[in-house]
Amino acid sequence: MQNLLRQIRPSILHLFVFAFFLVLIAIYVFTSGDYHMLIWGIPTLLCLLAFPMALAYLSQNQYASLIPEYEADSKSVNIREINHSMLSKRIRIEGLVEEVRFRSLNRPHYIIGDRTGVTVVKMFTNPRFDVKKGDVVLVYGQVMKRYIFYGDPIINGVDVRVSRSGEKTSTPPARGGKK
């Protein structure tokens, strides 16, 4: 249940819109004294949060249903090999997360690098796992253009998994035996 709630959280933009209209309705009600406006105002405010969360939930379910197909059909490639001839091809890459953008909008973009190059992985929904800078990830996705009609080839991520954390863990000190 905790994982489900994490997946369908509203973005910061949705929360700002909700707060903006909440303040407007509160100002109107307190200045005019028209409490009947709350009859439609409160349900409208709730819809401002419920609709984006419902759409995020549906998107998560759709992506989750695609994961087995991508696991079976994806070809492992190095980032250097990604080019325009691979548009619409399903691929799998493994690399280090160098930067995370737009996480607060629930549409994260990851800058992923391996030993051969760097690429962008765009997610159009929240990933199942919390991915941070420095994590080594396994990405399943499809090659697409950065913009609709032109641009560099990038990856539309369907699943981004943390294969191991990039942070160094301290090893326990070696135990010296007494002689």
Side-chain angles (χ1 to χ4, degrees):
M1 188 68 168
Q2 178 186 8
N3 195 16
L4 179 66
L5 292 175
R6 196 182 121 257
Q7 291 178 359
I8 61 170
R9 67 178 182 258
S11 74
I12 193 75
L13 182 62
H14 295 120
L15 293 175
F16 280 135
V17 169
F18 175 81
F20 175 76
F21 284 106
L22 177 67
V23 168
L24 284 181
I25 289 173
I27 290 171
Y28 175 78
V29 167
F30 288 128
T31 58
S32 70
D34 182 14
Y35 292 100
H36 292 6
M37 204 278 282
L38 295 176
I39 293 172
W40 66 267
I42 291 173
T44 302
L45 284 174
L46 294 176
C47 287
L48 284 175
L49 289 178
F51 287 158
M53 289 172 58
L55 290 173
Y57 178 75
L58 292 172
S59 178
Q60 282 287 333
N61 283 342
Q62 183 66 35
Y63 272 76
S65 69
L66 290 174
I67 291 171
E69 293 176 31
Y70 274 78
E71 287 175 337
D73 298 341
S74 296
K75 176 185 170 189
S76 262
V77 298
N78 291 324
I79 292 175
R80 170 186 49 168
E81 299 170 354
I82 299 171
N83 57 41
H84 288 286
S85 66
M86 296 180 75
L87 291 176
S88 303
K89 303 285 189 220
R90 294 179 178 182
I91 64 170
R92 180 182 71 209
I93 63 170
E94 185 171 9
L96 179 73
V97 177
E98 296 179 3
E99 189 176 347
V100 180
R101 300 177 182 167
F102 306 116
R103 183 187 308 218
S104 62
L105 296 178
N106 292 345
R107 302 291 184 261
H109 296 180
Y110 302 105
I111 310 297
I112 309 267
D114 65 6
R115 294 179 184 187
T116 65
V118 176
T119 191
V120 174
V121 175
K122 287 187 177 183
M123 296 283 295
F124 293 98
T125 188
N126 276 333
R128 295 184 300 159
F129 304 102
D130 187 28
V131 178
K132 297 179 283 292
K133 180 180 177 178
D135 288 341
V136 176
V137 294
L138 183 63
V139 177
Y140 289 95
Q142 185 174 25
V143 178
M144 66 179 203
K145 291 183 181 179
R146 181 178 300 270
Y147 307 107
I148 295 174
F149 297 112
Y150 65 93
D152 301 334
I154 62 170
I155 300 170
N156 171 20
V158 171
D159 189 27
V160 177
R161 301 177 187 168
V162 177
S163 53
R164 65 183 184 273
S165 178
E167 298 175 6
K168 294 183 179 180
T169 56
S170 62
T171 57
R175 294 183 182 173
K178 294 184 180 180
K179 296 184 178 184

